Amino acid sequence: MPRFVIWITIAAVIFIFLLYNFYFSVNFPFQDDFLLIQFVDGVSRGEIGLWGFVKELFRTFNDHKPVVSRLIAFVDYLLTGHLNFRFYILLVSLNIVYIFYFIYLQFKKTGMPLYYLLPAFFLFFQPLFHDVSGWALNGLQHSYLTAFTVTAIMLVSRGRRVAFAAALLCCFLATFSHGNGILSFPAIIFFFLCYKKFWKAAITAAVMFLALGIYLIGYESGQAVHLPTNILTFIYSLFGFIGSSVSMWAAPEFWSAVLGAVMVAFILFLVVRVAGVYFNREVVIKPGTVELLTFFVFIFITSLVIAVFRSWMGSTIASRFQIYTSLATIICYVLLLDYFAVFRKKGVFYTLLLLSVFYWSYSYYMHTHIVANKRMVYLADVYNWEDHSDMFSVEKTITQYGAFYLFPAYEKGIFKLPPPVVNRHELDSMYTVSQRPDTDSEIFVEVWKLKDFQNNGFINLSFVSSLKFPERKGFLTDRFLVLRDTSGICYLMGGNAKVESRKVLLTTGFYYKNGFHVTLRKDDLKPGVYELAVMDIEANGDKKFYRLDKSLRQTGTSYILE
């Protein structure tokens, strides 16, 4: 395979990934992102002093101490005067590329031609872990945690004292990027044990307990931490966490657990080979093997901890963790190439390459509507927040509890929003010049009853949809549902339609179906009657407005059409 074709392919896959993340990101805070606003608002008042700043910096939030993320936000505020959540997502994307660079460096040590690594690019640079690549705070936490961990592994592999000290510093920083970062220390201990460097392993353990002691100062346990209540769910979570790269297909929990168990068994086989040094056997450890095994051990320990404390809520297969399954998959792929010649045979390799390209394409098909819906919701909330200080991207309780810092921070310009896609005057004009149609838009309301694990109850979610009207939108067109109450206030919600089947997509090229689809919580809207309309905004900014033939009534307990 020509080398320039390989590099063009690699550059294209990474460029598409970066462009995808940037296009679908919005400079708008979502849920845990409020933490950064609260921190900067608190410390920027100049009344707390240095000790108060340190206390706020290390304050526990949702079981973690995101010190690194807070520092990034604070430096951003000092340099620019406001927080930029889209910029943080860009940092996350760059971190993800750097993390893959670690895999590339280990692959280079094998001496195999570069084209053998092509499947790994397709398996990794795709949106399975969109809650990392597209969510500011969650992305900062997991990407910096992982970036510090791989940096620590690279440093200890150099065997120098200064590099060892720098590696311990990276593990410390990983600990205060995300709580799971403390697990980078056991991974480094594993690295030293592979080479029987017990003294360095002991020093690493001592620094780990020091970091843990600092971490536990002022620690507050969150509501989401409980021991498992079901052994089957625990096993599914333990191995499914690692093997969930196949979670896009039927029976995701079962097949993810099966694949995860197979991957762990393969890594255990290699670990046993490396452990031969303890039984006076002559062991040849190929370059890069221990580094990759160390990284996988970190992922497995992370899976174990999450399964122990989170599996009581059900399976831990979730996008916010799936950067680890993507990494585990390509680690196993590189090691299989290195240790089993059958995977280097042309027929086998090209089969794997075609499968990886299919996987890459299918992941974009499966997840793009989720990512695009998030973008619609955030763009809608830019308008909602600036027009009437409201948002629908999070539960009302979150904005109510955070009102004491959200409103002051917004007034002070700590977080600035991009221009809204529409203003109230435009919406009023659209309602004025349009007529309510006589034809049936075939709107319907569905109600789903979902288990609420944290409150040991149930949550009712309502879905307002149409599969007929308006006609399907273009792929890059933004579709919103507009709701106008009796006082004339207009609310905006992301309204992308459901996704077409794979057959329709392949035969017609259409990704979205006709109509629209909106999710509503019970308390999203106040009781009352709301006129409904759909607004499309094309990529060039042109707007289309469609009145609907029914209104939506919030009765106080449910939503009905009339």
Side-chain angles (χ1 to χ4, degrees), residues 432-484:
T432 300
V433 301
S434 60
Q435 298 294 323
R436 191 166 182 168
D438 297 326
T439 56
D440 186 3
S441 302
E442 297 186 15
I443 308 171
F444 57 93
V445 176
E446 294 179 280
V447 180
W448 288 13
K449 194 173 186 179
L450 305 178
K451 177 70 175 178
D452 181 3
F453 288 96
Q454 291 200 12
N455 298 312
N456 196 27
F458 292 90
I459 300 173
N460 286 340
L461 285 182
S462 298
F463 301 92
V464 181
S465 310
S466 171
L467 298 177
K468 177 185 177 182
F469 185 79
E471 292 186 354
R472 72 177 84 247
K473 71 182 191 68
F475 182 74
L476 296 180
T477 299
D478 299 332
R479 175 161 288 180
F480 302 93
L481 180 67
V482 185
L483 306 94
R484 185 170 70 168

Side-chain angles (χ1 to χ4, degrees), residues 157-168:
S157 67
R158 294 181 179 181
R160 300 173 184 171
R161 291 183 179 180
V162 174
F164 176 42
L168 295 180

Side-chain angles (χ1 to χ4, degrees), residues 343-363:
F343 290 96
R344 299 194 297 273
K345 290 185 176 181
K346 285 189 176 181
V348 175
F349 167 73
Y350 281 113
T351 300
L352 292 174
L353 179 59
L354 288 175
L355 288 174
S356 68
V357 172
F358 167 77
Y359 180 88
W360 176 78
S361 305
Y362 193 73
S363 181

Side-chain angles (χ1 to χ4, degrees), residues 292-314:
L292 291 173
L293 290 178
T294 300
F295 196 17
F296 192 96
V297 165
F298 164 74
I299 294 171
F300 179 76
I301 298 173
T302 300
S303 173
L304 176 63
V305 170
I306 291 176
V308 168
F309 294 113
R310 302 274 183 172
S311 62
W312 67 275
M313 298 176 64

Side-chain angles (χ1 to χ4, degrees), residues 182-484:
I182 192 71
L183 306 178
S184 59
F185 285 103
I188 298 304
I189 292 172
F190 169 84
F191 178 90
F192 288 130
L193 292 179
C194 288
Y195 291 108
K196 302 177 74 172
K197 297 182 178 180
F198 302 115
W199 179 239
K200 287 187 175 180
I203 294 175
T204 304
V207 177
M208 176 182 71
F209 285 112
L210 174 63
L212 181 62
I214 297 173
Y215 191 88
L216 292 177
I217 297 174
Y219 176 78
E220 300 171 4
S221 178
Q223 295 180 346
V225 176
H226 297 285
L227 294 177
T229 57
N230 183 296
I231 185 63
L232 187 61
T233 303
F234 171 76
I235 293 173
Y236 274 173
S237 295
L238 175 61
F239 294 109
F241 181 97
I242 293 172
S244 64
S245 54
V246 295
S247 61
M248 295 183 287
W249 288 277
E253 293 183 6
F254 174 77
W255 290 114
S256 295
V258 170
L259 178 61
V262 171
M263 292 165 68
V264 170
F266 168 60
I267 294 299
L268 184 60
F269 162 74
L270 293 180
V271 170
V272 170
R273 287 190 60 172
V274 172
V277 297
Y278 287 89
F279 303 101
N280 297 320
R281 292 206 304 262
E282 186 175 340
V283 177
V284 177
I285 303 176
K286 293 186 177 183
T289 295
V290 174
E291 287 86 344
L292 291 173
L293 290 178
T294 300
F295 196 17
F296 192 96
V297 165
F298 164 74
I299 294 171
F300 179 76
I301 298 173
T302 300
S303 173
L304 176 63
V305 170
I306 291 176
V308 168
F309 294 113
R310 302 274 183 172
S311 62
W312 67 275
M313 298 176 64
S315 171
T316 56
I317 296 175
S319 179
R320 68 183 183 275
F321 298 136
Q322 287 182 306
I323 187 173
Y324 301 110
T325 187
S326 295
L327 288 166
T329 302
I330 60 176
I331 288 171
C332 288
Y333 170 73
V334 172
L335 290 171
L336 283 169
L337 282 176
D338 201 17
Y339 281 86
F340 296 93
V342 64
F343 290 96
R344 299 194 297 273
K345 290 185 176 181
K346 285 189 176 181
V348 175
F349 167 73
Y350 281 113
T351 300
L352 292 174
L353 179 59
L354 288 175
L355 288 174
S356 68
V357 172
F358 167 77
Y359 180 88
W360 176 78
S361 305
Y362 193 73
S363 181
Y364 275 101
Y365 163 76
M366 287 292 294
H367 297 107
T368 294
H369 73 100
I370 302 172
V371 176
N373 285 344
K374 290 180 183 180
R375 180 176 185 268
M376 296 301 97
V377 169
Y378 301 155
L379 289 175
D381 273 351
V382 170
Y383 161 82
N384 293 323
W385 183 260
E386 292 205 346
D387 186 74
H388 45 272
S389 302
D390 199 1
M391 61 177 70
F392 299 105
S393 52
V394 295
E395 297 177 5
K396 284 290 181 285
T397 53
I398 295 178
T399 53
Q400 290 167 357
Y401 293 153
F404 73 95
Y405 63 84
L406 280 177
F407 290 106
Y410 181 67
E411 291 172 0
K412 290 188 289 186
I414 290 178
F415 70 101
K416 292 182 178 180
L417 304 181
V421 294
V422 69
N423 58 55
R424 185 188 293 194
H425 175 70
E426 287 180 281
L427 290 175
D428 288 340
S429 299
M430 292 176 186
Y431 267 106
T432 300
V433 301
S434 60
Q435 298 294 323
R436 191 166 182 168
D438 297 326
T439 56
D440 186 3
S441 302
E442 297 186 15
I443 308 171
F444 57 93
V445 176
E446 294 179 280
V447 180
W448 288 13
K449 194 173 186 179
L450 305 178
K451 177 70 175 178
D452 181 3
F453 288 96
Q454 291 200 12
N455 298 312
N456 196 27
F458 292 90
I459 300 173
N460 286 340
L461 285 182
S462 298
F463 301 92
V464 181
S465 310
S466 171
L467 298 177
K468 177 185 177 182
F469 185 79
E471 292 186 354
R472 72 177 84 247
K473 71 182 191 68
F475 182 74
L476 296 180
T477 299
D478 299 332
R479 175 161 288 180
F480 302 93
L481 180 67
V482 185
L483 306 94
R484 185 170 70 168

